[in-house]
Amino acid sequence: MPLAENNLLFGFAPRLTAEQREYVDAIFDYQLVMVNAKAGTGKTTLAVACAKLFKQPLTYIFNPVQESAMGFRPGTQSEKESIYHQPLIDALLEINENPAQCVYNEEALVNEAIRRKVSMKRVMDSIWCYPKTPLFLRGTNLKDMTIIIDECQNFTVQELRKIFTRVHDSCKVICIGHSGQIDIPAAKSGFVPYMEHFRSQPYCKILTLSKNFRGELANWADSFQG
């Protein structure tokens, strides 16, 4: 079933373009949605908003494409990885969620439990977003959750295979990418190849989002063909 007509989707529904409405409805109607979307189209925000409505855990998968340098930067692993969580954080703020209270961060949770003098279980009660990298998915099962694979164009075929082959049918999967902004060697990106691989499957919807809402400068920059 598509998004109900009386569901305002945190205030976004009345303002959705036809493309965005098709995207949102597809998230409700299909197990797998793959969207090739320009920057600033609202792709991550709308995906997170839908995930909130599903009332099940959200696994947000990101790929630290500069992982080789992460070990040399100061800070803990969580602090180094947190820069890749920013699209998720921004999306949560757009739907009036407090990231500090709903995004899993073990170090922050331990500190909060100590500060409040309560158990870890108590501070975990409001957590529903779990950022992960594909580095730690080997041997895991992904079930009974919504999965967002963000910046999907920066995942290789092998990395996407590692994710997809761990997904149970109790999951919804939203793959978000932009084939025009690939930060790894383009020939290694698995985004477009996997879109073509899944295109004929009845449980999958392939979409595009073309309107950048950030403004004239951002749109003109995205049109550069060099």
Side-chain angles (χ1 to χ4, degrees), residues 157-170:
V157 169
Q158 291 75 19
E159 287 167 337
L160 289 177
R161 181 183 289 118
K162 185 193 296 185
I163 298 167
F164 288 135
T165 55
R166 280 153 180 77
V167 174
H168 287 248
D169 283 347
S170 59

Side-chain angles (χ1 to χ4, degrees), residues 60-153:
Y60 176 84
I61 302 179
F62 64 96
N63 198 5
V65 293
Q66 296 175 330
E67 64 189 63
S68 61
M70 289 179 72
F72 302 99
R73 293 208 304 266
T76 64
Q77 179 178 331
S78 294
E79 289 169 338
K80 294 173 190 177
E81 290 182 348
S82 64
I83 61 170
Y84 295 96
H85 302 172
Q86 197 58 49
L88 172 63
I89 300 302
D90 291 344
L92 289 167
L93 292 172
E94 286 286 335
I95 63 171
N96 297 317
E97 286 282 301
N98 183 347
Q101 295 179 355
C102 63
V103 178
Y104 181 82
N105 181 316
E106 184 173 4
E107 294 167 18
L109 289 170
V110 169
N111 291 335
E112 181 66 7
I114 293 171
R115 185 187 70 82
R116 292 167 53 187
K117 299 181 180 179
V118 297
S119 67
M120 278 289 288
K121 184 179 184 303
R122 181 76 175 272
V123 296
M124 284 284 293
D125 285 346
S126 62
I127 301 296
W128 62 277
C129 301
Y130 297 85
K132 293 182 183 293
T133 79
L135 303 174
F136 305 109
L137 289 178
R138 185 74 68 190
T140 62
N141 282 293
L142 301 174
K143 59 172 63 174
D144 302 320
M145 63 180 66
T146 303
I147 301 165
I148 293 177
I149 310 173
D150 209 355
E151 301 293 345
C152 199
Q153 75 277 5

